[in-house]
Amino acid sequence: MIREEEVYKIGRLGKTHGVKGEISFLFDDDVFDRVDADYLVLMIDGILVPFFMEEYRFRSDTTAIVKFCDIDTQERARELTGCDVWFPRALADSDDDTITWAAIVGFDIIDNNSGKSVGRIASIDDNTLNILFCLEDGRLIPASEELITDIDKEKRTITINIPDGLLEL
């Protein structure tokens, strides 16, 4: 059984494409292409299920058309519409030099000055030029490269020089 801590969300399935079981895939992270993955993980009724890809092709920088094995009709593909798409952290970690914003959701933020945990990243706000870590408790921490001192993929932590007074806001 696949557990949520073993994967991270990279996108969502959209509308069907054609009549042979293809479906659009809106993604935030193209890790599935960079590490040459054979499968993606879909959340089906609260359960993480691996789906092997027969083929895929890119339509844009954020959209691909995917054909999953054994999904051969538009009706079968329609059942997957709206499913969240996840990717195994173990496969993503093989891409050692690259870590994406989507991959660090769930990491703990550590204050470099005190060494204490500040909170866990719930999401990334990249809608503006200033990218922010949105913590589970609702606080926002700047995701500036100048402030990040360490990223430990194994421990799933990010150490940051948090500006004085920021945590008191």
Side-chain angles (χ1 to χ4, degrees):
M1 180 172 188
I2 300 171
R3 297 186 321 245
E4 263 192 70
E5 54 272 1
E6 296 172 342
V7 295
Y8 66 97
K9 186 177 170 188
I10 62 168
R12 186 176 200 92
L13 294 179
K15 298 186 297 185
T16 59
H17 183 83
V19 295
K20 295 186 179 182
E22 294 180 319
I23 190 164
S24 64
F25 170 33
L26 309 159
F27 57 88
D28 300 321
D29 186 341
D30 66 351
V31 65
F32 64 97
D33 187 54
R34 289 194 319 269
V35 299
D36 202 24
D38 294 329
Y39 67 96
L40 298 172
V41 179
L42 305 183
M43 180 73 79
I44 308 284
D45 296 329
I47 299 171
L48 294 166
V49 180
F51 277 76
F52 287 85
M53 295 181 288
E54 212 171 278
E55 63 181 357
Y56 63 88
R57 62 187 180 279
F58 290 99
R59 294 207 61 177
S60 71
D61 290 344
T62 59
T63 307
I65 302 298
V66 178
K67 171 75 173 75
F68 292 109
C69 294
D70 300 323
I71 305 294
D72 297 324
T73 65
Q74 185 177 26
E75 291 75 30
R76 293 278 320 270
R78 189 174 292 121
E79 294 172 8
L80 302 176
T81 298
C83 287
D84 288 333
V85 179
W86 304 69
F87 195 78
R89 288 186 187 278
L91 291 177
D93 288 345
S94 67
D95 191 15
D96 289 331
D97 295 337
T98 306
I99 188 163
T100 62
W101 292 122
I104 61 175
V105 170
F107 278 39
D108 285 319
I109 298 289
I110 306 296
D111 181 5
N112 192 44
N113 298 318
S114 69
K116 295 181 181 176
S117 176
V118 174
R120 179 165 286 145
I121 300 171
S123 63
I124 306 296
D125 181 351
D126 60 356
N127 293 324
T128 65
L129 195 55
N130 297 317
I131 297 171
L132 300 169
F133 295 129
C134 304
L135 303 185
E136 289 175 344
D137 64 7
R139 291 184 292 174
L140 302 173
I141 304 288
S144 170
E145 288 184 28
E146 294 84 37
L147 299 176
I148 297 173
T149 60
D150 184 52
I151 298 175
D152 188 330
K153 288 184 189 180
E154 205 168 290
K155 292 181 182 176
R156 297 184 59 190
T157 61
I158 298 175
T159 305
I160 298 180
N161 282 322
I162 297 176
D164 290 335
L166 182 68
L167 297 177
E168 285 77 41
L169 294 177

